Amino acid sequence: MDGAGVVGQARKGVERSPGLTYQEILDMDTRPVPDVLREQVVPDLGTAPVPISRYTDPAFFREEISKIWMRVWQNACREEDIPNPGDFQIYDVVGKSLLIVRQKDGSIKAFANSCLHRGRKLATSGGCKEKFRCMYHGWTWNNDGSFYENPMPWDFPQAPPETLSLPEAKVGTWGGFVFVNFDPDAPSLESVLDPLPRHFERWRLEDCVKTLHVAKVIPANWKAVSEAFMESHHSITTHPQILPYLADENSQYDILSDHITRHISASGVPSPFVDASKITPDDIIEAMFGTSGRTDAGPNAGAMKVPNNTTARAFAADVFRQTLSAEDGHDYSDKSDAEMLDPILYNVFPNMSFWAGFAPNLIYRWRPVGLSHEHTLMEVMRLRRAPKNGPRPPPVPMHFLSDSESWRDAPEMGGLSDIFEQDMANLPYVQEGMNASLSGVLHFGRYSEMRIRQHHVMLERYMSRD
Ligand code: FES
């Protein structure tokens, strides 16, 4: 990582919210807190304005395709989406398309979803196949990518079968996710993800099942959409209903490596934006369980009263421990309040976000739609621990919302749909406002928007390569 990172303490000179720090809130946790939540990495990335053209210029986007999207590791699907030999999913990005296929030996390969005859896509939806037969003239490939058949081989002397294996992209796995990279010379997935695997050793996303997957096209640049999820302080105007229970302004932000950033907001604690003296512990609980959306079926918040000898945060953590344990059979009694409650968001450059902890974890993925610099496919997934006893349930399929539908048309999202509707309501106007800008630049907060700054540090680095 460039710059002077400081581990273990905030760098002097980088101003922080006057509210309690996240570390001070952790000091009051009712359980031991894992070391990874005690790490702080706060480089001073400066305050330079950022050109708006990065979001609005089609030529800049065309350059991003070759310099970023063709070179970065990307989350293509979950391993559980393709459990058996021949199972495959399609991953489309910036006009490219890959077939992500489970092999007989359990490994996973990614093949170009493009016929080597005259280019037709070999598949347009996922499924299970022994062979991929092109629907145009019948050229056929085995599901290991080797060529199987050309109905008219006599007419193609220039293309003997041994030269017709499907081109492949690199594949890696972590946490139950399948990653792909179009660049044969890309650094290893492990080197890019570091230190994510170490941080997630306790939370083991590979032991989870996808219980929610909702997607919608958002009319805004992919960076504008992803950056809406890299800071917490937008709740003051975008999500006023969560101010009673989310310590937003005083969130902790970390730049853990070139590609990995993190922010953590304490839950069960009021925002510094509101007058805490006017909020009771019961107010916190009622606001929290009605809107957080992290459980599939939240308890009846209105019926809960916080005992005098505890805090709303400790009480809420206990509710989560008991609720989740009753649902999945796991024992959460020794898990910290932070791991039961807090939004702990790790991002992997350029387009993935993984929530940490033991409560159902949200996963975000953002990618441009086709070759449009002003449209982004926003996907929200939720992972839950697989039940301790009984069979592992299958993952849910993606629920694609049409342009005329809102996030509230996905009832499986519960209280989360209101929050996403609020987030997404901003974004078309963010894009329109950036297009309308006369200043030509954006300003990022030095600390609270440090992750967005790092996003642009990496953007600049990739874009400056030949
Ligand atoms: Fe595929 Fe002709 S384009 S067989």
Side-chain angles (χ1 to χ4, degrees), residues 29-168:
D29 206 297
T30 61
R31 311 284 196 279
V33 174
D35 291 344
V36 293
L37 295 185
R38 291 296 193 178
E39 291 182 18
Q40 295 185 75
V41 187
V42 190
D44 186 354
L45 299 180
T47 57
V50 167
I52 278 183
S53 57
R54 293 178 182 179
Y55 303 80
T56 59
D57 181 359
F60 188 87
F61 175 68
R62 283 196 295 275
E63 210 173 327
E64 286 180 338
I65 291 174
S66 59
K67 293 188 172 178
I68 295 178
W69 293 102
M70 291 297 100
R71 291 184 162 185
V72 293
W73 284 98
Q74 301 165 52
N75 163 20
C77 65
R78 290 277 295 166
E79 286 201 63
E80 63 187 329
D81 291 329
I82 47 172
N84 302 308
D87 285 351
F88 70 99
Q89 290 276 313
I90 295 174
Y91 179 69
D92 290 339
V93 66
V94 293
K96 302 298 181 192
S97 183
L98 293 173
L99 301 165
I100 317 297
V101 189
R102 179 72 73 174
Q103 301 295 296
K104 278 196 191 102
D105 64 0
S107 65
I108 297 168
K109 290 191 171 185
F111 305 116
N113 185 14
S114 175
C115 180
L116 295 179
H117 177 215
R118 279 165 53 196
R120 190 195 194 279
K121 275 187 166 181
L122 294 172
T124 52
S125 61
C128 183
K129 285 181 188 285
E130 269 191 32
K131 296 190 168 40
F132 291 98
R133 181 175 172 81
C134 179
M135 296 305 288
Y136 200 173
H137 312 91
W139 287 32
T140 304
W141 282 263
N142 298 305
N143 65 16
D144 64 0
S146 60
F147 190 65
Y148 176 73
E149 181 177 59
N150 172 1
M152 293 169 53
W154 55 268
D155 206 22
F156 295 85
Q158 78 279 29
E162 62 272 19
T163 67
L164 291 176
S165 293
L166 291 173
E168 294 184 39

Side-chain angles (χ1 to χ4, degrees), residues 215-249:
K216 183 169 166 56
V217 173
I218 308 301
N221 182 269
W222 68 274
K223 296 183 292 295
V225 181
S226 59
E227 289 163 8
F229 297 85
M230 292 188 197
E231 45 81 9
S232 283
H233 61 90
H234 65 278
S235 56
I236 186 171
T237 42
T238 301
H239 311 299
Q241 78 276 21
I242 71 175
L243 295 179
Y245 70 85
L246 195 77
D248 45 14
E249 185 200 25

